[in-house]
Amino acid sequence: MNKVYVCLIADLLHAGHINILKKASKLGEVTVGLLTLKACGELNDIPYLDYEKRKEVLENISMIKEVIPQDSASYKTNLTNLRPDFVVHGDDWKDNNQKKYRSEVINILKEFDGELVEVAYSSDINNMQIKEQMSKLGITTTARQSRLRRLINAKPVVKILEVHNALSGLIAENASESLEDGELVTFDGMWSSSLTDSTSKGKPDIEAVDTTARLTTINEIFEVTTKPLIYDADTGGKPEHFEFTVRSLERTGVSAVIIEDKTGLKKNSLFGNDVAQTQDTIENFCHKIKCGKSAQITNDFMVIARIESLILEAGMDDALKRAFAYVEAGADGVMIHSRLKDPEEIIEFVTKFREKDKTTPVVVVPTSFNSVTTDEFADIGVNVVIYANHMLRAAYPGMMNVAKSILKHKRTLEAEPDCMKIKDILELVPGTK
Ligand code: SPV
Ligand code: MG
C-alpha cells in the first residue's frame, strides 16, 4: 500500500479539504500531519480550535488512517521519518506564503522518489475568505480576550500597535503589508497607551484620565475591531483599586494589563530621571500583582509586570532581581523598559532573564531603541513588541500642518494635497453611504 502524506490545519473543514482527502485516499493510506499551534503561528494562521479538538475531527474521517503532529511549517521532519510515496496538497500554495515550503517538499521527495500531487484548489471556498466573513460578524468578549495568550504561544513574536480611538483601531485591525518573500504581515493586537489616550484627551500622562474614561475609548475601539488589546494601567493605583480595574478590564474583553513598579505621582517613563519618579519596593509591588491575580475570574487574563529599574538608572541587577520576584509573585509576563537609543541594556536584560527563565513572556516597547526589528527581538527571546505611540505621533503633525496652512493662505486649496480625498474618507468606513 502506498503511503500518502497530507498536511492540514483543519480548523474550519470544508469541501476543499474533502476534495484533497478523496484524491489522497485513492493514492494510498493517508497520514495527516496536523499543524500544531506553533506551526500555525509560523504561517500566521492561528486556528480557533486547539490541536486536540482538530485531531478528534480528523480521526473520525474514514479516509484518514492516522493523524500525527507537524510541529513546524516545514514538512522536513515528518517527510524524512515517514518517506511517503505521495504528498497531496492544494495548488494554492504555488503563490501564497507557503511557496518556500512547497520547494522544500519537492526537494525532500526527490531523495526517495516521492511525488507531489497538487489538487486544483476550489477558488470559491477557502479558509481565508471564511475567516474574513467570520471576523466581519464580530467577536465575542471571551474569544478576543483569550486570543493574546494563544498568539503568544503560537508565534515567534507578537506585534502590537498603539490605538487611541476607533479609527486608529481600524488601522491596527486592517493594515497589512506583503513582503518580498510573499509573506503577508499584519498586527496581532492593540495597545491602549496611557500616553496617547491622555494626550488625545488633552491631558498629561499622570493617571489623570480615570479608568471609566479609558474604558469608554476601549469600548469604542472594540465595537469596530476583533483583535486583542493590552491595557497600560500605569502604576495600577492602590492594590485595592487595582482589583477593580482587573475585573472591569476582564468584563470588557481586554486580554492583559501592564502595571509599572512606580509609586506616587506617575510621570511618563521616557522622562527618566529628568523628573522626580519613585520606584515602588519589591514587596509592595509583588503584593499588588498578587491582588490583581486573585481578582481575575478568567484563566486567560494576564497581569504583566513592568520594570522601571533601567529607566530610573537603578541598574541591571535590580531589574533582574525584580523580574524574578514579580514572576514568583504570579506575574504572567514581564515588560522591561529603557529610554536609551542603544538597545544594549535591553538585549542584556532579555539574555540574562532567559538564562534562568525560558518561558515567561517578555514584552518590550522600542520607542527609543527603534533600530531593532521585530524578528531580531524574537531571536533574543522577546515575545511581545509594542509600538506604543506612533499612530498619534503620526496624526498630530499632519493635522497641525494643515491647520497652519489654512491660517497662512486663508483658504484650504494649498492644504488639499496633505489631506485625504473627500471621496476616500466617505468610503473609509463601511456603511457610510
Ligand atoms: C505608554 O504608551 O503610555 C507607555 C509606554 O507607558 S512609554 O510611553 O514609553 O512609557
Ligand atoms: Mg503609559
Side-chain angles (χ1 to χ4, degrees):
M1 192 74 164
N2 283 328
K3 285 190 279 186
V4 188
Y5 187 77
V6 177
C7 169
L8 293 176
I9 295 182
D11 190 25
L12 307 160
L13 266 191
H14 55 67
H17 296 118
I18 299 299
N19 195 23
I20 287 170
L21 289 171
K22 272 187 185 161
K23 176 82 193 171
S25 60
K26 277 191 191 130
L27 293 168
E29 255 174 12
V30 179
T31 299
V32 168
L34 183 60
L35 291 181
T36 60
L37 189 57
K38 171 182 162 283
C40 294
E42 289 171 28
L43 294 175
N44 205 8
D45 191 354
I46 310 298
Y48 287 95
L49 301 174
D50 66 26
Y51 181 86
E52 289 306 322
K53 295 210 180 80
R54 292 181 283 127
K55 183 170 177 229
E56 199 176 327
V57 171
L58 294 179
E59 280 177 342
N60 283 286
I61 294 181
S62 58
M63 289 181 283
I64 298 170
K65 180 177 166 260
E66 198 187 2
V67 180
I68 60 169
Q70 181 175 318
D71 201 27
S72 155
S74 159
Y75 290 45
K76 193 166 181 188
T77 309
N78 283 2
L79 293 192
T80 317
N81 291 339
L82 196 71
R83 299 170 73 84
D85 301 283
F86 298 100
V87 168
V88 181
H89 201 286
D91 65 357
D92 55 321
W93 70 341
K94 285 181 182 165
D95 329 285
N96 69 17
N97 62 344
Q98 294 187 45
K99 243 192 314 200
K100 62 176 178 216
Y101 302 112
R102 177 178 183 265
S103 315
E104 192 185 51
V105 166
I106 292 171
N107 285 332
I108 298 170
L109 286 173
K110 275 188 199 143
E111 290 168 20
F112 44 84
D113 279 338
E115 192 187 324
L116 172 64
V117 176
E118 291 177 316
V119 179
Y121 203 78
S122 356
S123 58
D124 55 338
I125 176 161
N126 74 52
N127 264 336
M128 281 307 171
Q129 277 168 10
I130 298 176
K131 287 193 174 177
E132 248 171 52
Q133 289 300 330
M134 284 175 67
S135 76
K136 273 192 199 142
L137 294 176
I139 190 165
T140 63
T141 307
T142 358
R144 186 199 300 260
Q145 193 207 61
S146 60
R147 195 158 169 83
L148 182 69
R149 267 196 200 267
R150 289 170 74 72
L151 284 162
I152 292 174
N153 290 336
K155 300 189 80 169
V157 65
V158 171
K159 301 183 287 293
I160 301 288
L161 188 69
E162 170 261 320
V163 293
H164 52 273
N165 59 15
L167 190 60
S168 53
L170 282 177
I171 294 181
E173 181 81 8
N174 298 322
S176 69
E177 194 61 35
S178 209
L179 304 185
E180 272 173 18
D181 64 0
E183 190 192 353
L184 185 71
V185 281
T186 52
F187 286 100
D188 299 300
M190 304 176 281
W191 165 244
S192 168
S193 152
S194 70
L195 172 63
T196 67
D197 198 5
S198 309
T199 307
S200 62
K201 291 175 169 60
K203 298 226 169 114
D205 183 15
I206 54 168
E207 303 186 273
V209 179
D210 65 33
T211 311
T212 311
R214 299 277 312 273
L215 282 171
T216 302
T217 309
I218 289 173
N219 271 309
E220 286 168 2
I221 293 166
F222 279 8
E223 270 193 62
V224 296
T225 61
T226 61
K227 292 187 176 174
L229 182 136
I230 304 176
Y231 181 81
D232 173 6
D234 300 301
T235 65
K238 300 229 180 304
E240 294 81 353
H241 297 164
F242 183 50
E243 291 176 5
F244 284 101
T245 308
V246 165
R247 288 285 181 100
S248 304
L249 292 172
E250 269 195 302
R251 223 174 21 250
T252 310
V254 170
S255 304
V257 64
I258 300 190
I259 48 170
E260 58 196 90
D261 56 1
K262 290 205 298 244
T263 188
L265 180 61
K266 191 220 84 151
K267 298 278 172 69
N268 186 277
S269 300
L270 301 174
F271 285 124
N273 279 334
D274 299 350
V275 295
Q277 308 209 55
T278 320
Q279 203 168 11
D280 207 349
T281 63
I282 295 185
E283 201 189 351
N284 284 351
F285 200 65
C286 284
H287 173 64
K288 202 183 287 185
I289 293 167
K290 283 183 189 154
C291 288
K293 286 306 293 173
S294 54
Q296 76 181 64
I297 43 178
T298 64
N299 289 329
D300 294 315
F301 188 76
M302 300 172 77
V303 174
I304 299 173
R306 163 171 168 176
I307 301 143
E308 293 285 290
S309 307
L310 304 181
I311 291 284
L312 301 172
E313 294 166 26
M316 186 60 66
D317 289 346
D318 185 71
L320 286 160
K321 186 168 143 204
R322 284 172 177 270
F324 295 123
Y326 299 161
V327 173
E328 185 67 32
D332 300 292
V334 293
M335 174 189 147
I336 183 65
H337 208 14
S338 161
R339 66 181 195 124
L340 300 186
K341 192 145 186 62
D342 187 335
E344 202 57 51
E345 62 177 13
I346 286 288
I347 295 171
E348 184 184 341
F349 173 91
V350 180
T351 312
K352 289 192 168 148
F353 182 77
R354 279 281 170 256
E355 277 166 16
K356 284 206 189 146
D357 184 328
K358 302 267 182 274
T359 52
T360 303
V362 173
V363 182
V364 295
V365 176
T367 302
S368 304
F369 42 101
N370 55 10
S371 59
V372 187
T373 65
T374 13
D375 296 344
E376 287 164 346
F377 280 125
D379 289 345
I380 60 165
V382 169
N383 304 82
V384 179
V385 178
I386 301 178
Y387 298 99
N389 43 50
H390 302 80
M391 293 300 97
L392 189 63
R393 284 172 57 210
Y396 186 79
M399 294 194 285
M400 183 57 102
N401 286 342
V402 168
K404 282 162 101 70
S405 167
I406 298 170
L407 288 175
K408 184 171 170 188
H409 300 285
K410 303 186 176 183
R411 60 183 192 186
T412 60
L413 180 71
E414 289 75 11
E416 280 300 335
D418 295 325
C419 294
M420 194 176 180
K421 301 226 172 337
I422 288 292
K423 179 180 168 294
D424 292 343
I425 193 159
L426 289 176
E427 284 169 6
L428 180 70
V429 176
T432 308
K433 236 183 207 164

